[in-house]
Structures are given as C-alpha cells and as structure tokens.
Amino acid sequence: QSALTQPASVSGSPGQSITISCTGTSTDVGGYNYVSWYQKHPGKAPKLVIYDVSNRPSGVSNRFSGSKSGNTASLTISGLQGEDEADYYCSSYTGSSTLVFGGGTKVTVL
Amino acid sequence: EVQLVESGGGLVQPGGSLRLSCAASGFNFNIYGMSWVRQAPGKGLEWVSVISESGDDTFYANSVLGRFTLSRDNSKNTLYLQINSLRAEDTAIYYCAKKGLSSSWLWVYDYWGQGTLVTVSS
C-alpha cells in the first residue's frame, strides 16, 4: 500500500487556476473511478471536495473540479481564493479492500 | 446536523492498549459504513480501517492488521476502535468518518469528527 504521489506544494495568485496531480498505479488510481480529494486546514477535520474522480458534494464550490487520465488523477482549483490555502489529499480504492491516500499537497495563495 | 465525536485518546506506553469511540448523531447511523483515518504529527493522512453498515465486514491497513479491531454498536450509534500492542508510530490524531455519497461501497467519507489524539510514549 504505497502512498499515492502528489507534489509537496503548489502555489498561485488570487484568481488563477492551479492543478494538483495524484499519481498511482493500474491497481489503484488507474483501475477504479474511486478517487477522492480532501481539503484540510491546520487543526481542522478534512473536508471532501471531490469524489468518484469528478463529482462535487453538495455545498462545495464549483471552482473545484476533478479528472483522471490513466494512473494520474488531478484536482483543479479555479479562481483561486485565500480560503483555498490548505493541504489537499487524494485517495483511491486499491482493489484489495483498502484505501490509500496521497502524501498531501500544500497549496499556497501568493 | 451530522456530528461525529471521538473520545478515548490519551498517553499510553508502548505495548499498551486503548479503545477509541466515535459517537454519531444527526443521521441514520445503521445504513452507513464508517471509517478511521489517522494523521501523525507533521505527516499526511493515513487510512486505518473501515466497517460496513451492518458490521459484518471490516477491512484494515496492513500497518494495523492484527493489532486494531473495528466494531460498531448500531443500537448506540457508536463506532469503536480497539488498538492493541501500541507502537510509537501509532502516535497520531485519529479521525472517524462517515461513508459518503459514492458509487463505491465504503471508500469515500463526507463527514469527519474533530479527532482524538493518541500518544504512544514511555
């Protein structure tokens, strides 16, 4: 159960778009459409922002979008805002009845 | 309003045991899978375990297999995690989480508690 690979940090200016990648293998990200993304602010509980690759839960801003190509999933945040500054984690079902998270990406709003 | 409140964390010596609890309210507990996810200090999220809505199926990360036991009492709307043979690397905030809307069975979590801290140290 190796962690999915995410960039350690991504930054952007307010109003810009950023994309966070999440790379796995054919036995997790590439094998199932069960990729989720979570936003986590320090000291707070994680918040689900994308599930099943590209679905947004009710109440989550449409500035958040997800996609997948092969073994790599991506989270795009458009119209970057200060409140988006947080850590972001991807997760994927692995096919062996387990879940694996990515190492996390720190998003900085410049 | 969905609420998940964890308890039972604390300081324990290596080799010791703890039982974590997660009290759920605001939703029909017995029709949702539930999970535990942990975060070690300065580290990322790590999935620990999940249990089906009935409690008949449980799954564990390799790192805790054989040492952790997940259970639930649907009559009390409460989730439990029995953790034995604790190691320093089990030190983390432990979050319980509710299975969310998804075509997957148990693998997406839409509500999370605030967590309970487990510290393993002599």
Side-chain angles (χ1 to χ4, degrees):
Chain A
Q1 295 169 341
S2 299
L4 306 175
T5 300
Q6 298 181 232
S9 63
V10 172
S11 62
S13 299
Q16 285 187 328
S17 293
I18 61 168
T19 296
I20 303 168
S21 61
C22 170
T23 301
T25 69
S26 60
T27 60
D28 41 59
V29 174
Y32 305 91
N33 288 325
Y34 297 149
V35 175
S36 300
W37 290 89
Y38 297 89
Q39 176 193 64
K40 191 178 185 308
H41 289 102
K44 300 289 189 180
K47 175 186 176 182
L48 179 67
V49 295
I50 293 288
Y51 69 94
D52 294 358
V53 176
S54 59
N55 293 293
R56 251 188 335 271
S58 174
V60 171
S61 170
N62 59 9
R63 298 184 299 102
F64 290 87
S65 62
S67 63
K68 190 184 85 167
S69 177
N71 297 336
T72 298
S74 299
L75 173 71
T76 297
I77 309 173
S78 58
L80 199 62
Q81 299 179 1
E83 66 204 48
D84 300 331
E85 187 161 290
D87 294 325
Y88 291 83
Y89 294 89
C90 62
S91 71
S92 174
Y93 176 62
T94 70
S96 55
S97 298
T98 60
L99 188 76
V100 62
F101 280 94
T105 297
K106 181 178 180 60
V107 168
T108 302
V109 181
L110 302 172
Chain B
E1 178 193 6
V2 172
Q3 286 199 319
L4 298 170
V5 180
E6 302 95 336
S7 61
L11 174 64
V12 62
Q13 292 188 338
S17 299
L18 278 177
R19 188 176 82 156
L20 307 183
S21 299
C22 173
S25 61
F27 66 101
N28 197 347
F29 182 73
N30 62 8
I31 64 171
Y32 289 95
M34 297 292 296
S35 181
W36 288 93
V37 175
R38 68 185 181 183
Q39 184 174 33
K43 302 295 185 182
L45 298 177
E46 180 188 14
W47 178 79
V48 172
S49 182
V50 68
I51 189 167
S52 64
E53 49 275 23
S54 66
D56 288 344
D57 298 282
T58 52
F59 304 102
Y60 299 91
N62 286 343
S63 57
V64 307
L65 194 61
R67 299 187 300 122
F68 289 19
T69 302
L70 182 54
S71 63
R72 63 191 296 162
D73 185 336
N74 285 346
S75 69
K76 296 182 178 179
N77 289 352
T78 302
L79 181 72
Y80 302 102
L81 184 68
Q82 178 68 41
I83 48 181
N84 300 328
S85 303
L86 277 158
R87 307 166 180 168
E89 54 264 37
D90 295 318
T91 294
I93 297 173
Y94 285 73
Y95 297 97
C96 77
K98 166 188 166 291
K99 192 264 179 179
L101 181 67
S102 167
S103 59
S104 74
W105 179 27
L106 295 169
W107 312 108
V108 175
Y109 311 120
D110 60 355
Y111 285 93
W112 299 60
Q114 291 301 309
T116 186
L117 177 62
V118 172
T119 303
V120 184
S121 175
S122 55

